[in-house]
Amino acid sequence: MRLRQTLRHCLGLVLLLVCAVDIGSVSASWGGDWGKSQESQLAFEDYHSKNRSNRSEAFKYTKDDLLIAIPGQTERLSLVEASRPWRRGVNTFVALEKPLTEDSAPQGFLSKTAEHKEHFGTYQDPRSKNEWEKAGDLASIAPFLAAKEMGLDSFKWVLYGDDDTVFFVDGALDMLENLDYNMPYLLSDDVWFVEDDAQGKQINTHPNRRAPRCLPCGYHDEIADTGYIPWLSFKAPEGCPCTYETICKAPGNEGYFGTNCEWLKVHPGLWYFIHGGAGAIMSLGLFRLISWDRVDGYFMRGSFASGDSMLTVAIYEMTGILPTDPGYGYYRDHVQMFDPGWKGYQTKGPEDWNFDVFDKGNDPEGVLQRLRTAVHGGDCDNECDDQLQHLVSVHIRSRYSQDYAVNVNDTDFRHVGPEHHRPASYMHFALDKWYMKFRKARGLAAY
């Protein structure tokens, strides 16, 4: 395992050197010609000045503006089926490893794909696997494949997560209100980041408030407007768009990437990336900067890291764009919008233990319990309620769902598929059920 980690670090350093000198352009099958680094910043500013309204313009979205992108496997389609309740009314694209047939789909699955606005595509991996590669490393190609197959006129925002990720669509629409879809956004507040502990040992933590990020263009609220910077948080600048030049030249971050932004403290993908299970939301403006030919060539050259990190590093290397925090939770340490948790530092399995990974979020049982408690008028204080009102996603982590203390015999729940998927399927169902009850109890808008 240490050899594997060393190889990843070495390859990451090679990419770091490449990024320091590459000012290559992106071809134009989806949009204009775009460079990287300073050139991409100037090109975007010119494009943006001609193609968007005043920053103060209000943007409101509906389910018709969304596209959900899910990386799936035919043997796990029961989880895709289980996500239908929370995906209702939203176009969905599922990327599979092989074409979908009656034989490979769960019983009755294909008869309802049109009703649930589901579309399917395949992306087969012809690479010979290296030691550090594993099944799922190409998961992050799903949003790019979805944009290619569905077309850029079919969405304004893409919600990307695993087949065991739950998006609270109404909460996502609340979050996206007033954000301009023309801006290239990669949105999440669950970002991995590597640090040294008191003994100098590297630990890899997510979500990590010290991870470099921006705030949305023009973001403000009653706390942000005071100039307050949360304790132990990265000093996030306003990103219009969010590039590493924007980050390192912002007040308080001088020298973070070198005195002249000449190097990255950590390369995107080298323990600095968005957590795929928590999910991410990407704007149409981001996809306009990316060509499918560039995506296809990038993923085919081979990965040096996991599917999680491939999303962040691919977007960075093709566009120069880095993660943007939605903002609300940035200024409130009791709110984590993507995959919140209350268990503190935790490790859940070999993928955590082998790489000294600590998960400070991820508590699907805790989210479900708090939703039920809040609906029934139980002990959910103001901070608890604030968190629930600003939920965007929860990662079920299906591989550990067998241990969840949940009632999979709910009379409204139906499961078709392998028995070992039943607990995870139930969590898809129950989280949506109780979230919608919670919104109704709080008088929140239903989209």
Side-chain angles (χ1 to χ4, degrees), residues 193-204:
F193 196 56
V194 64
E195 298 179 286
D196 293 333
D197 65 13
Q199 288 73 43
K201 179 182 178 182
Q202 276 193 347
I203 58 172
N204 310 294

Side-chain angles (χ1 to χ4, degrees), residues 357-383:
V357 168
F358 293 91
D359 190 341
K360 293 169 66 179
N362 189 241
D363 187 6
E365 290 177 282
V367 173
L368 181 56
Q369 177 186 4
R370 284 164 174 78
L371 286 169
R372 285 171 166 160
T373 298
V375 168
H376 291 308
D379 185 17
C380 181
D381 61 16
N382 290 339
E383 289 190 353

Side-chain angles (χ1 to χ4, degrees), residues 38-56:
Q38 189 174 18
E39 287 186 5
S40 65
Q41 177 93 13
L42 294 173
F44 175 78
E45 288 173 355
D46 178 65
Y47 166 83
H48 201 55
S49 67
K50 298 174 182 176
N51 291 277
R52 75 183 293 265
S53 304
N54 186 282
R55 266 174 37 186
S56 63

